[in-house]
Amino acid sequence: MTPHVPSGSRHSFRFGLPPSLGSETARDRAERLASFLQRALGKLVEVNVATSYETLAKDLLSGRADAAWAPPFVCARMEAMGVRVLARGVRRGMSSYRSALVGRAGSGLTLEKLKGAKAAWVDRDSVAGYLLPSAFLKTQGLEPSRAFVSQQFTGSYQGALEAVLEGRADVTSVFCPPASTGLTFTTGVEDVLGPGMGAKFELLAYTDEAPNDGVPVAMGLPAPLVAALETALLGLQSTPDGQALLRDIFNAERFEVAPRMGYRALYRVALASL
């Protein structure tokens, strides 16, 4: 039975998705998410794919989006401005992750050989796709703006990984499990590019951990609507359709309630990466 949710001043609910896993893929699956949320919230739902993380943050702050699936640094920025992060994803039983710096398999690239290399990143606000590796490199005495001959921002993990595969870049980064050891970085590569693709890359280093992506909700969203959205997200794992949405859109096995102000520690990472 669809819960009754007061409609408020607008008849539609707008949910934003990031471009990090590829905008085409996200758009293909947005319709499925919209259908699910429409049933859960009892409102017309629009799901839009933002062109960048910056746009996603601005959409939330301006009210153009009511909620969004947002990377950790966007969640941290939102929390610092008084926005609540409702839920966060859990992957492989963990609510945090880290980043792996990777190069092309067989390239012989190491941290010591990064000076003069070309880097491909996801987005300046992507934690695993830029902020964590950038902060890590600085701890190793490598200032990215000086160490690399070029840095490109592709907008997605797929774009960054493909840039390395195609020789347009030498190094990139990808999300991976928090307790990563050895070759477990390949799980992130294969989540993006598909089974077996991890073997085409080799590991350079792991970074520190960061909280998983979350779902911030716009300020002023009616409390009954917030509660209905929370119930819907936390209940996704209980049905096959919900499990498919978790896997295909959120790259997660379930959602958990996000602790209040659980992302603000990431500002240290952001400052270290400027």
Side-chain angles (χ1 to χ4, degrees), residues 6 26 39 50 56 102 105-106 118 176 179 186 213 229 242-243 246 262 269:
R39 293 193 303 272
L56 192 67
V102 298
K118 296 176 289 185
C176 58
T186 59
D213 304 51
L229 178 62
Q243 291 167 12
L246 283 166
V269 176

Side-chain angles (χ1 to χ4, degrees), residues 33-154:
L33 179 60
S35 178
F36 165 78
L37 289 175
Q38 193 159 301
R39 293 193 303 272
L41 304 181
K43 296 174 73 73
L44 291 174
V45 172
E46 305 168 28
V47 177
N48 298 303
V49 182
T51 55
S52 69
Y53 290 139
E54 184 69 25
T55 300
L56 192 67
K58 287 180 178 178
D59 285 348
L60 274 167
L61 289 174
S62 68
R64 287 191 297 268
D66 296 303
W69 175 233
F73 182 61
V74 172
C75 290
R77 183 186 297 172
M78 296 297 99
E79 281 188 334
M81 303 182 82
V83 172
R84 179 185 174 189
V85 178
L86 192 64
R88 66 183 180 187
V90 176
R91 299 183 178 114
R92 297 178 178 89
M94 303 288 185
S95 56
S96 63
Y97 67 101
R98 68 199 317 189
S99 178
L101 278 156
V102 298
R104 217 166 28 259
S107 66
L109 193 64
T110 64
L111 286 179
E112 294 72 28
K113 297 178 181 178
L114 279 181
K115 286 185 178 177
K118 296 176 289 185
W121 308 117
V122 175
D123 186 286
R124 290 187 185 276
D125 284 351
S126 172
V127 174
Y130 177 64
L131 292 171
L132 283 177
S134 180
F136 169 78
L137 289 171
K138 289 183 180 184
T139 68
Q140 304 300 303
L142 293 167
E143 167 57 56
S145 63
R146 292 194 292 269
F148 296 119
V149 294
S150 67
Q151 297 186 87
Q152 59 177 293
F153 292 89
T154 67

Side-chain angles (χ1 to χ4, degrees), residues 84-88 90 230 234 254-260:
R84 179 185 174 189
V85 178
L86 192 64
R88 66 183 180 187
V90 176
E230 181 178 51
L234 297 180
R254 64 181 175 87
F255 277 105
E256 67 178 16
V257 175
R260 294 298 178 107

